[in-house]
Amino acid sequence: MSVEDDKRLAAAAAVAEVLDGMVVGLGTGSTAAFAIAALGERVSRGLRVQTVATSIATERAAGAAGLTVRDFADYSMIDLAIDGADEVDDRLWAIKGAGGAMLREKAVAAAARRFVVIADGSKRVAAIGAAKVPVEVLPFARSFVVAQLATLGADVVVRPGYATDNGNLVADCRFDPMPDPRVLARVIGKIPGALGHGLFLDEVDAAYIATNGIVARLERDGRSD
């Protein structure tokens, strides 16, 4: 079993939760792409759903897969969101945003009645903190925000030549070690010009993680199978 096979299995398990008539949020990145493909296959067999996309790239991929994509701006709530993660632990704390869409992903996740993360086994960790924490930054406040992030103990690198779909910058922050994630999330959220970050501590309801062809499901209430 390859990593790509595991991503595909995790995605298929999550997409199995989609019911007829749902509005489904679609994440961004290589693992989320497998969910888009799996959902497209189900739609081709008669499933009726509508989707919202967390990035321009996802919107295009969803359209190519035969999915109906709506404007998230018109929704205050959706039924289900499915996305990948850079790291996830057994508390269902996650770091996301390697694909640069974490601000939109967090908005869609927060609006979802249920938010499910999909990953291969390499993304499951004992405790999040090794992955870089991306922060979406208002270009006007770039130097100020970077300096504030550095005071938190981060090694900060602004992605060169990169802009989010919102027209903003991304500052990747590596912490060694990571401070308390809840405190860190709260402090970053208070920095003027820091528009969002990749710490997902309360949003994830469940995770499907595939390792060597075996899919494990973790639930927020502690259940697993």
Side-chain angles (χ1 to χ4, degrees):
M1 266 304 162
S2 69
V3 169
E4 298 303 294
D5 289 331
D6 281 338
K7 289 179 179 180
R8 186 178 294 105
L9 288 171
V15 168
E17 291 198 14
V18 179
L19 302 177
D20 203 62
M22 278 187 169
V23 178
V24 182
L26 302 174
T28 296
S30 62
T31 308
F34 286 110
I36 293 170
L39 187 57
E41 289 177 6
R42 290 194 62 194
V43 166
S44 73
R45 297 195 299 269
L47 181 72
R48 295 170 299 173
V49 297
Q50 299 183 75
T51 68
V52 296
T54 55
S55 66
I56 294 171
T58 292
E59 182 177 356
R60 290 171 178 163
L67 301 175
T68 300
V69 184
R70 302 300 188 193
D71 188 348
F72 177 65
D74 295 328
Y75 291 87
S76 61
M77 183 171 291
I78 63 173
D79 298 296
L80 175 69
I82 302 171
D83 205 350
D86 306 322
E87 283 186 341
V88 60
D89 63 27
D90 288 355
R91 299 169 293 186
L92 293 182
W93 289 7
I95 295 177
K96 294 176 41 56
M102 60 282 177
L103 182 55
R104 293 189 181 197
E105 288 170 344
K106 188 166 286 187
V108 170
R113 293 183 175 91
R114 180 169 167 85
F115 176 46
V116 175
V117 159
I118 53 178
D120 66 88
S122 69
K123 305 299 176 63
R124 185 174 183 176
V125 295
I128 60 169
K132 297 174 183 176
V133 177
V135 178
E136 186 154 341
V137 178
L138 184 70
F140 173 78
R142 173 179 54 83
S143 293
F144 169 74
V145 173
V146 168
Q148 292 298 304
L149 292 170
T151 66
L152 302 178
D155 178 14
V156 186
V157 176
V158 176
R159 294 187 194 179
Y162 180 84
T164 70
D165 288 345
N166 307 313
N168 299 310
L169 306 174
V170 172
D172 288 312
C173 303
R174 185 175 294 283
F175 294 91
D176 187 19
M178 175 178 280
D180 181 307
R182 286 205 176 278
V183 174
L184 181 61
R186 186 164 57 248
V187 173
I188 293 175
K190 291 181 179 179
I191 299 174
L195 304 176
H197 57 75
L199 290 168
F200 284 61
L201 307 181
D202 298 304
E203 292 82 3
V204 182
D205 295 300
Y208 288 92
I209 303 171
T211 307
N212 297 324
I214 298 174
V215 180
R217 186 186 70 185
L218 308 178
E219 291 280 349
R220 172 67 68 173
D221 63 8
R223 290 183 294 120
S224 63
D225 55 39

